[in-house]
Amino acid sequence: MEPEKLQNIRHTLAHLMAQAVKELYPNAQLTLGPAIDTGFYYDIDFGADKLSDADLPKIEKLMRKNLQNWKEFTHQEVDEAGAEKAFAGNQYKLELVKEISERGEKITLYTCGNFTDLCRGGHAENPSKDIAPDSFKLDRIAGAYWRGSEKNPMLTRIYGLAFESKPALDMHLTMLEEAKKRDHRKLGKELELFMIADEVGPGLPMFYPKGAILRRLIENYIIEEQEARGYVPIWIPHITKGKLYEISGHLSKYDAMYNPMHIDDDDYYLKPMNCPHFMMLYKSLPHSYKELPLRYTCTTTNYRYEKSGELSGLTRVRALTQDDCHVFCMPDQIENEIKLMLEMIGNAYHVFKITDFWVRISLRDSKDKSKYLGDDDVWNKAEDALRKVVKASGWKYKEAENEAAFYGPKLDFMMKDAIGREWQISTIQLDFNLPKRFELEYTSNTGTKEQPVVIHRAILGSTERFMGVLIEHLAGNFPTWLSPIQVAILPISDKHLEYSKKVAESLRASGVRVELNEDNDTLGKKIRNAKGTKVPYMLVIGDAEVNDKTITVEHRDKGKVGAQSVAEFIANITDEIKNRN
């Protein structure tokens, strides 16, 4: 099915659901109901009525009954007075009507099956024929503030799933069941990786030893890859004067900053991003064209006031650690620098088992340019540069308006995980604006002062988000090099403990992360517990192993490997770890 046709079906189902809700709950006030990637939703003010997931089947049943009478949409243009009459008593629709009128746009009402809604169009031509009754399902209920603002009333959002057919819907439902098993919040607790405590605050994760090891391994891999290519480390503080963000433009353009702290007659802010600090470090020293490109990098934590309703485990947090990099270069160096970044991203995705991804060329909104810094010439130059290098890479790409940063266009890397969900991870942003605002310069080969270009880059995006995505992508089954515990040693009884400790010492001396199970449990229980922690290797030690000075190796994925000498196993596992196999 064509994407536009499916989008129109989903939009139509939002209307169909709204009609069913109004029939069942006459006092409910409808607000907005768009189509989304997997279906649709509608935000509704139910007033004194309380709705739960248990009420969804009766709404869904009525939707299917009403669908039979939905033959075609009709529409009419009305003036503001006509629209106000149509939606009298609905404060939300009246607010929308007023805004549309103030913008000088047409006010259109669409009707189907005796139900009329404020709408711009985009529907199924004949809903009763175009929509299979078993191709949609109401999914869940959530809370949502009107217009996304916590200052506004809390509404009830009803989500629906909709696909071109029942098999497609069933496939998606199967994926959702698998997603529950892979949920990084669930696995994070079971594998003792991280936790979030009310006493600390929402969106502020803390990491247990195993989680701390995992994040260190991920970050160290990126650091190694960078420094092997000439990136140099810097360090920056976590708070800064507001003056810095006045220069950068964040105070006027960025809306996720925490309130300031007033210290020594100045306002200080928790840093929401690192770019201005990098600019100041560059500016503080004289630079020649011979130094460029200058590749500064820093793994550091930022703090952003994300709305509480949008926080989710590690994938949406208020304290996020970035593998941040800013390359200061001359215009003719842009292409080679981005190629170098693409090479690193490709290598990282291979190591982390990310095989399905594409690149979004994120452009500014061509209709509303007031949201961005810089003139047309600067933006056109930056956007064309990104197009050129992505096309040359041979990777899949799409262009998308209204996705750029306020200071420049960017490349956003979108991956599909093991069960088909899409995530945005890496980003490369081309910036001609901040160098100008910070008055950065270098001395050219002719002795003139020139302005460098800045390329912003993060491979992981943020460590926390990347960890959340990776946990779900791999279902917690990390490759050996990345596993917090690489080997579980399982002595059959206490009499095998002394030899087991010697094996553990030999492994640790070779840099292998080991956990020795000294519990007084049966071997079967020890094996089950080890498998529950998803450890890659289990070493069973009993009488035969003690007598022969061997170990019996069992692998998480391959099953029983068999008897090996300790030296042989160490050689195999250290090679596997070294090569990140």
Side-chain angles (χ1 to χ4, degrees):
M1 182 179 290
E2 292 294 324
E4 183 179 356
K5 185 175 181 181
L6 182 56
Q7 189 81 350
N8 289 344
I9 284 174
R10 289 168 170 166
H11 185 191
T12 299
L13 286 167
H15 288 298
L16 186 67
M17 181 177 71
Q19 182 194 35
V21 166
K22 283 296 290 182
E23 289 183 24
L24 293 169
Y25 304 91
N27 295 324
Q29 292 194 37
L30 304 174
T31 67
L32 291 168
I36 54 177
D37 286 345
T38 57
F40 56 93
Y41 71 77
Y42 216 115
D43 288 344
I44 303 167
D45 186 344
F46 281 89
D49 291 321
K50 301 298 181 184
L51 204 70
S52 72
D53 288 340
D55 296 305
L56 297 183
K58 66 181 179 183
I59 299 174
E60 191 178 308
K61 182 179 180 180
L62 185 54
M63 287 174 67
R64 292 197 172 91
K65 178 183 176 183
N66 290 343
L67 177 61
Q68 301 171 30
N69 300 316
W70 278 44
K71 303 301 181 183
E72 64 176 337
F73 276 87
T74 60
H75 83 282
Q76 60 175 322
E77 292 182 16
V78 296
D79 57 17
E80 186 174 358
E84 288 176 345
K85 182 179 179 181
F87 299 105
N90 186 325
Q91 58 177 321
Y92 305 101
K93 295 291 187 184
L94 294 178
E95 182 179 323
L96 295 172
V97 166
K98 184 178 180 182
E99 289 183 8
I100 296 170
S101 179
E102 288 176 348
R103 292 197 299 265
E105 299 175 3
K106 295 177 181 178
I107 302 173
T108 52
L109 308 183
Y110 278 78
T111 300
C112 193
N114 297 320
F115 175 74
T116 299
D117 207 350
L118 180 68
C119 185
R120 292 176 178 173
H123 306 107
E125 292 183 7
N126 186 333
S128 61
K129 285 187 177 181
D130 295 342
I131 302 175
D134 56 2
S135 67
F136 67 89
K137 174 182 176 61
L138 296 189
D139 182 36
R140 59 191 170 91
I141 288 174
Y145 290 106
W146 168 236
R147 312 301 286 273
S149 173
E150 295 177 0
K151 298 177 182 178
N152 291 334
M154 174 66 79
L155 306 173
T156 298
R157 175 172 293 180
I158 304 178
Y159 282 101
L161 302 171
F163 292 85
E164 60 269 23
S165 64
K166 185 179 188 300
L169 173 63
D170 290 342
M171 186 182 299
H172 183 76
L173 292 172
T174 299
M175 183 274 288
L176 290 180
E177 286 303 311
E178 180 63 24
K180 290 179 183 177
K181 300 175 188 176
R182 293 170 176 259
D183 190 324
H184 75 280
R185 294 165 295 186
K186 172 178 173 288
L187 290 175
K189 183 177 182 180
E190 293 174 356
L191 302 180
E192 294 183 7
L193 298 176
F194 74 95
M195 61 92 72
I196 297 173
D198 287 340
E199 294 83 353
V200 176
L204 303 172
M206 296 183 292
F207 293 82
Y208 297 112
K210 291 178 182 178
I213 290 171
L214 177 62
R215 68 176 294 153
R216 186 183 68 191
L217 290 166
I218 291 170
E219 291 175 349
N220 283 352
Y221 166 76
I222 299 298
I223 291 169
E224 290 173 17
E225 289 290 300
Q226 292 177 153
E227 294 190 357
R229 291 169 175 79
Y231 288 75
V232 292
I234 64 165
W235 189 91
I236 59 178
H238 289 227
I239 64 171
T240 188
K241 284 184 179 180
K243 177 66 175 177
L244 186 67
Y245 292 123
E246 287 179 13
I247 299 171
S248 67
H250 287 97
L251 275 183
S252 61
K253 298 288 184 180
Y254 193 73
D255 61 1
M257 295 176 69
Y258 278 95
N259 291 332
M261 299 170 279
H262 196 68
I263 305 172
D264 298 335
D265 298 324
D266 284 301
D267 282 341
Y268 282 76
Y269 290 83
L270 283 167
K271 66 181 173 70
M273 65 247 319
N274 311 307
C275 320
H277 294 80
F278 279 75
M279 305 300 151
M280 293 304 300
L281 277 171
Y282 178 93
K283 185 177 181 177
S284 66
L285 297 172
H287 298 281
S288 162
Y289 74 97
K290 296 179 181 179
E291 299 173 64
L292 304 185
L294 180 59
R295 306 177 183 117
Y296 279 165
T297 182
C298 184
T299 299
T300 182
T301 303
N302 294 316
Y303 305 89
R304 298 177 184 174
Y305 180 61
E306 302 288 358
K307 294 172 183 175
S308 58
E310 296 176 348
L311 299 174
S312 179
L314 297 179
T315 57
R316 194 68 179 265
V317 295
R318 287 174 171 168
L320 61 153
T321 306
Q322 292 186 315
D323 58 311
D324 213 349
C325 168
H326 292 75
V327 174
F328 301 85
C329 65
M330 295 181 284
D332 62 0
Q333 296 173 324
I334 291 173
E335 189 171 344
N336 284 338
E337 287 306 301
I338 296 181
K339 283 181 180 177
L340 185 64
M341 294 173 181
L342 295 183
E343 176 199 336
M344 281 191 289
I345 289 171
N347 289 348
Y349 287 3
H350 173 74
V351 165
F352 292 115
K353 303 183 181 297
I354 298 169
T355 58
D356 189 353
F357 65 93
W358 59 278
V359 186
R360 183 179 70 200
I361 305 177
S362 298
L363 311 173
R364 65 175 171 167
D365 186 346
S366 60
K367 296 178 181 178
D368 181 8
K369 300 176 181 178
S370 64
K371 300 179 285 187
Y372 308 96
L373 301 175
D375 57 32
D376 288 348
D377 182 58
V378 164
W379 276 87
N380 292 337
K381 188 188 302 182
E383 291 176 351
D384 288 343
L386 291 182
R387 285 189 182 98
K388 181 179 179 182
V389 74
V390 172
K391 289 178 181 179
S393 73
W395 288 347
K396 294 181 291 184
Y397 72 91
K398 298 177 186 177
E399 294 189 4
E401 283 199 1
N402 200 24
E403 294 290 347
F406 70 86
Y407 50 77
K410 56 181 178 168
L411 303 180
D412 290 318
F413 290 74
M414 319 296 290
M415 70 158 278
K416 278 193 176 180
D417 68 12
I419 57 174
R421 296 169 302 176
E422 200 163 71
W423 305 87
Q424 192 265 311
I425 304 180
S426 311
T427 186
I428 298 173
Q429 302 172 3
L430 192 52
D431 185 359
F432 291 85
N433 284 304
L434 287 186
K436 183 177 180 180
R437 293 179 74 91
F438 279 90
E439 300 177 344
L440 305 186
E441 60 184 27
Y442 65 92
T443 304
S444 72
N445 60 350
T446 61
T448 59
K449 298 295 184 183
E450 304 293 340
Q451 178 183 298
V453 179
V454 172
I455 308 174
H456 310 241
R457 190 237 64 204
I459 295 176
L460 302 177
S462 86
T463 302
E464 293 79 11
R465 178 177 169 79
F466 186 82
M467 286 178 67
V469 172
L470 191 66
I471 290 167
E472 298 197 8
H473 179 51
L474 301 177
N477 296 305
F478 304 112
T480 304
W481 75 272
L482 198 54
S483 294
I485 301 298
Q486 296 164 320
V487 176
I489 299 178
L490 312 177
I492 293 177
S493 69
D494 286 349
K495 66 180 181 178
H496 309 120
L497 195 54
E498 182 179 352
Y499 177 65
S500 296
K501 288 180 179 179
K502 291 179 180 178
V503 172
E505 289 171 5
S506 297
L507 287 167
R508 290 191 184 107
S510 300
V512 180
R513 294 184 292 278
V514 178
E515 193 170 73
L516 173 60
N517 189 327
E518 300 186 48
D519 295 340
N520 188 26
D521 292 324
T522 64
L523 178 61
K525 185 173 181 180
K526 288 181 179 180
I527 291 174
R528 287 194 299 275
N529 289 342
K531 287 183 176 180
T533 64
K534 301 182 182 287
V535 63
Y537 286 97
M538 290 160 281
L539 308 183
V540 177
I541 296 176
D543 289 341
E545 289 78 15
V546 171
N547 293 333
D548 298 339
K549 295 296 182 280
T550 61
I551 50 177
T552 295
V553 182
E554 185 167 336
H555 189 270
R556 177 187 62 204
D557 305 316
K558 301 174 185 176
K560 191 171 183 179
V561 177
Q564 292 182 2
S565 70
V566 176
E568 180 186 4
F569 178 74
I570 288 176
N572 290 338
I573 193 172
T574 52
D575 181 69
E576 183 179 338
I577 293 167
K578 178 182 176 182
N579 293 303
R580 297 190 173 99
N581 293 334

